Amino acid sequence: MPVEYSENSLDTYDPKGSLYVVSTPIGNLGDITFRAVEILKSVDQIACEDTRKASILAKRFDIDTPRTSYHEHNARKRCPGLIKDLNNGKNIALISDAGTPGISDPGFLIIRECINCGIPVIQIPGATAFLTALAVSGLPTDRFIFEGFLPPKKGRKKRLEAISDISCTIIFYESPHRIKKTVNELYEHFGDRRIVIARELTKKFEDITRTTLSEAVRVLEKTTPKGEFVLILEGYK
Ligand code: SAM
């Protein structure tokens, strides 16, 4: 059946490109989706948080799309240029160093800007570290709160106080440099709750430790933590 166009269709024709928010693996490259590879190959440009990790991905999946850097330290400066390209009809894919762009990374800024400018934002779903950890934590998954990273210095106590009596599962991201400090503070603040420490998910040295805060403090005391961590804390009972 022929498609009928209204007279208005030319007036409303909008040459804007789209921002594709493409999830990439959090470790194991086999976790990329077919659709992610297709999109990364077909867009005009890839804005990537970590150019080194992006080139590993590009090499593995034969992606020769031009890449540009977009990270924490240049996001504000890079945004107007990317918006201009999108307004001129270019399709751009956004990828973070791992997982889903916009989750605890600078992706938020360009995504919000596109929404404000009426530029289509299309999500290509895939891995996210906190959901991967939560799913196998064994702690309740029916209600949870994602806290992301605690502030590195000021404001940590205030954030913990705000969630003291929340009864659902609480999720944090943490780096190897701060994990000891954070777990110690969680113990001081919340007492001996259950905690799941998910390290290096989907990677060679993946480790998921289901324990209590007092035991986690004791074990971490004797180790030099390495890798990336998700902490899943039991809610208030
Ligand atoms: N956008 C990412 C996502 O979708 O999960 C998160 C980016 S955030 C800058 C990086 C943090 O995610 C790490 O410090 C760690 O807390 C967590 N993370 C990322 N990959 C991980 C992995 N393979 N195992 C455990 N935690 C991971």
Side-chain angles (χ1 to χ4, degrees):
M1 215 161 120
V3 179
E4 283 184 25
Y5 293 98
S6 76
E7 278 185 18
N8 281 340
S9 58
L10 278 180
D11 297 340
T12 55
Y13 173 69
D14 191 341
K16 282 187 176 72
S18 297
L19 179 75
Y20 291 86
V21 178
V22 181
S23 299
T24 58
I26 55 169
N28 189 323
L29 290 188
D31 292 334
I32 193 126
T33 67
F34 291 122
R35 192 162 166 234
V37 174
E38 241 172 58
I39 296 290
L40 293 176
K41 284 185 175 180
S42 63
V43 291
D44 299 294
Q45 197 176 52
I46 303 174
C48 46
E49 191 184 358
D50 183 329
T51 45
R52 195 185 56 85
K53 286 196 181 163
S55 58
I56 295 172
L57 201 70
K59 205 167 161 201
R60 168 80 180 266
F61 297 104
D62 289 327
I63 298 163
D64 58 10
T65 308
R67 296 189 290 272
T68 181
S69 84
Y70 173 85
H71 50 69
E72 199 186 340
H73 304 292
N74 72 0
R76 278 182 199 283
K77 219 167 107 201
R78 295 287 294 116
C79 247
L82 292 170
I83 295 290
K84 190 171 164 209
D85 287 347
L86 286 156
N87 272 326
N88 286 336
K90 295 254 187 291
N91 288 311
I92 297 179
L94 174 70
I95 60 172
S96 53
D97 68 347
T100 298
I103 305 297
S104 293
D105 67 32
F108 169 71
L109 207 68
I110 179 86
I111 291 168
R112 183 180 59 184
E113 204 54 29
C114 284
I115 293 166
N116 289 343
C117 296
I119 292 164
V121 177
I122 300 161
Q123 156 72 357
I124 311 297
T128 306
F130 80 85
L131 281 179
T132 308
L134 176 69
V136 294
S137 66
L139 291 174
T141 56
D142 53 340
R143 285 173 56 243
F144 60 87
I145 173 169
F146 176 62
E147 276 292 316
F149 292 99
L150 284 172
K153 289 184 185 125
K154 260 177 78 178
R156 289 169 74 86
K157 200 164 168 227
K158 212 168 156 195
R159 279 271 292 275
L160 295 179
E161 273 163 7
I163 52 171
S164 280
D165 51 8
I166 281 188
S167 61
C168 63
T169 302
I170 306 165
I171 309 172
F172 301 94
Y173 276 169
E174 202 41 279
S175 72
H177 325 289
R178 259 191 288 269
I179 180 109
K180 279 190 189 180
K181 174 177 155 117
T182 296
V183 171
N184 277 324
E185 286 178 13
L186 293 181
Y187 182 41
E188 276 165 29
H189 196 86
F190 297 102
D192 207 11
R193 291 193 195 178
R194 286 193 290 163
I195 186 163
V196 178
I197 303 181
R199 184 176 84 90
E200 295 287 86
L201 290 163
T202 78
K203 302 185 195 174
K204 189 174 173 189
F205 296 107
E206 173 176 292
D207 180 67
I208 299 171
T209 303
R210 299 170 182 87
T211 184
T212 58
L213 276 171
S214 60
E215 182 62 10
V217 167
R218 198 183 63 76
V219 171
L220 281 169
E221 193 65 29
K222 292 186 273 177
T223 54
T224 307
K226 286 195 186 114
E228 302 191 274
F229 296 85
V230 181
L231 306 175
I232 318 260
L233 183 69
E234 179 182 31
Y236 176 72
K237 278 207 255 185

